[in-house]
Amino acid sequence: MEPSGGDRRRDLRVPLLLRIDFPGSPGLGDATENLSAGGLFIRTDRPLPPGTRVPLILSFPGLLEPVELEVEVTWRRDAEGESPAGCAVRIPADRAEDREKLARLVRSAQEPREPAPARRSYRVLLVEDNPLLLAMYEAAMKRLRTGDGSIDVAVEWARDGIEALARLQRKPKVELVVVDLYMPVMDGFTLVEKVRSDPGLMLTPIVAISAGGDEARARAVDGGVDVYLQKPVHMNQILETVRALLRIQG
């Protein structure tokens, strides 16, 4: 991940949030922070020492078909301030096919996209019973709005899964749900299950934010959440995730 000289100019990093799954550990997905043709940085608390070879799968729901790679850990970063823990990995020299897979992914991310509509409006439902966290998430959503009005984000909230489900079944349509997993009345796990079993709602992107750890992550991912973020979560993580799921270029 640390090219030098001319290689550094050719191996530019692309800030791209993708989901990472590890074969043999179903449901315990992590995420990328950035990637280049030679490697990527993974946000993870897994104890992966430098030199370890790891098989992984890169994907993003609705945007990217799964890409299987084998990588080698080059260095680790501990969590500090706004920077989550993680590790840098590279494609080993004997994995030329995997290097080409990653290079194609980077080229695809750098390709010009079709012009966006002149104005786009999104409606986000926050499902959270903690007023302080709700205010933080709402502030993050509002930062997606643009000064020229080309992108507008309407934010609604529900205190539990029952309120959330009732809102999702009404119009106007909600484009994204951000949900806590542990709430009274109806928890986030049950809400996700009901959304994924409803033909009219099943494709709605869902972000789960929880302090539940690996067990909660596995259960949430198995239940159908698109992205799981571990508390404490930083505002930039929320912004990157929502931009990716709503396909907002920012």
Side-chain angles (χ1 to χ4, degrees), residues 63-203:
L63 299 179
L64 173 68
E65 291 298 317
V67 176
E68 297 186 27
L69 304 170
E70 182 175 300
V71 299
E72 180 181 0
V73 179
T74 57
W75 55 273
R76 283 197 53 80
R77 180 182 75 191
D78 294 329
E80 183 176 354
E82 291 291 313
S83 299
C87 62
V89 302
R90 66 185 176 191
I91 306 296
D94 59 354
R95 304 287 297 188
E97 182 179 349
D98 286 353
R99 181 176 290 271
E100 179 53 32
K101 288 181 186 178
L102 189 57
R104 286 198 300 268
L105 178 57
V106 171
R107 289 195 296 268
S108 174
Q110 293 175 318
E111 289 176 355
R113 302 181 183 179
E114 294 182 6
R119 178 179 174 82
R120 290 172 292 166
S121 298
Y122 303 93
R123 193 170 298 274
V124 177
L125 178 63
L126 305 177
V127 191
E128 171 62 65
D129 63 331
N130 184 319
L132 295 178
L133 292 176
L134 182 67
M136 173 189 170
Y137 301 158
E138 184 174 10
M141 299 302 111
K142 290 181 178 179
R143 286 180 58 178
L144 295 168
R145 298 170 180 168
T146 55
D148 61 4
S150 60
I151 296 177
D152 184 42
V153 179
V155 181
E156 300 183 28
W157 68 280
R159 290 170 293 187
D160 56 60
I162 290 181
E163 285 189 10
L165 189 61
R167 171 59 190 90
L168 289 167
Q169 292 171 337
R170 298 195 307 268
K171 293 185 178 181
K173 177 184 176 182
V174 170
E175 279 81 24
L176 177 72
V177 178
V178 178
V179 60
D180 182 21
L181 295 177
Y182 296 98
M183 298 177 295
V185 187
M186 179 193 289
D187 63 21
F189 298 109
T190 305
L191 174 63
V192 171
E193 179 183 346
K194 291 184 177 296
V195 170
R196 290 296 179 244
S197 63
D198 186 326
L201 301 174
M202 61 189 304
L203 297 180

